[in-house]
Amino acid sequence: MVLEPGAVLPEAMAAALVDALAAVSDVVRSRVADAGTYSYRFAELADVLAMARPILHEYGLGHMQPVSTEMVGNATHVSVCTELIHVSGATVASPALQLVVSGSDAQRVGSAVTYARRYSLMATLGIAGDDDDAALAALTRTSTPPGRAARMAAPATGRSPEEAQARELLNGATSEVRTAIQRAFREHFGVSLSNLQRDRHAEALSFVIEQLNVPDDPEATP
């Protein structure tokens, strides 16, 4: 079963999830990433797991995060979802979070996997752990106040999770950086992000990450 709005879970699992999600907490942002033009604090995947695993176990829950990769042209498509498992045998899974990595370098792919695992797990458990808040105002004609982009990524707006992440990553950039990325984005894709086809949003997120020169995730294994 995939986690979707309005999905009906088995009663025992639903009760366990309600209690477990009430017990989990936001994670201390212990790491600082330097993106060159700005820096932001974030919680490591290990910190999220250390907080969440004992609580999930206490309520008869566990989790898995299947990872798949696929080469499409000269890019590696990385896909991660989070599955919650109840002792009764019931399971639910989040929609897959997909990222696109240029080439097939193991370090870059590993970084993308770790990044996707962290975001997928935090989103599934309702945890706030990063402070790279958003605003891809430069890639759209209107400005988005900090912190609103992810909430605006509802189906009614047509925005995808990847687009919301791209908007969040650019929120802390300077106006000069945003202007430069806007120009590069239009040259590369031919349109602004708001007009880009939804099936290219993962590619757009990868492009934004590369343009911001976000450093490789220190948790990733070469």
Side-chain angles (χ1 to χ4, degrees), residues 18-38:
V18 168
D19 290 338
L21 296 181
V24 297
S25 61
D26 293 340
V27 182
V28 175
R29 300 161 182 164
S30 59
R31 299 282 298 184
V32 177
D34 184 357
T37 56
Y38 74 101

Side-chain angles (χ1 to χ4, degrees), residues 5-178:
V8 178
L9 302 179
E11 184 176 348
M13 185 175 194
L17 272 174
V18 168
D19 290 338
L21 296 181
V24 297
S25 61
D26 293 340
V27 182
V28 175
R29 300 161 182 164
S30 59
R31 299 282 298 184
V32 177
D34 184 357
T37 56
Y38 74 101
S39 62
Y40 60 90
R41 302 188 68 85
F42 70 96
E44 289 187 313
L45 175 61
D47 296 331
V48 179
L49 291 173
M51 181 279 297
R53 275 176 174 154
I55 294 174
L56 290 176
H57 183 266
E58 179 180 352
Y59 293 99
L61 296 164
H63 87 285
M64 296 191 302
Q65 292 187 287
V67 177
S68 65
T69 60
E70 179 184 5
M71 285 297 298
V72 179
N74 294 323
T76 303
H77 289 230
V78 176
S79 179
V80 175
C81 72
T82 297
E83 296 182 2
L84 298 178
I85 308 160
H86 187 246
V87 291
S88 65
T91 63
V92 290
S94 69
L97 175 58
Q98 297 181 332
L99 300 177
V100 178
V101 180
S102 298
S104 59
D105 177 76
Q107 179 65 46
R108 293 173 63 84
V109 172
S111 295
V113 169
T114 303
Y115 183 91
R117 286 184 62 199
R118 187 170 71 244
Y119 268 92
S120 178
L121 181 59
M122 290 192 301
T124 300
L125 299 180
I127 296 170
D130 289 5
D131 193 21
D132 56 356
D133 270 319
L136 197 45
L139 302 187
T140 61
R141 290 190 177 89
T142 58
S143 175
T144 303
R148 285 190 57 205
R151 295 196 296 273
M152 292 175 66
T157 68
R159 289 180 180 166
S160 65
E162 292 83 7
E163 180 183 352
Q165 279 185 258
R167 292 177 182 277
E168 290 185 0
L169 283 171
L170 282 174
N171 192 43
T174 64
S175 60
E176 291 82 4
V177 170
R178 290 197 300 269

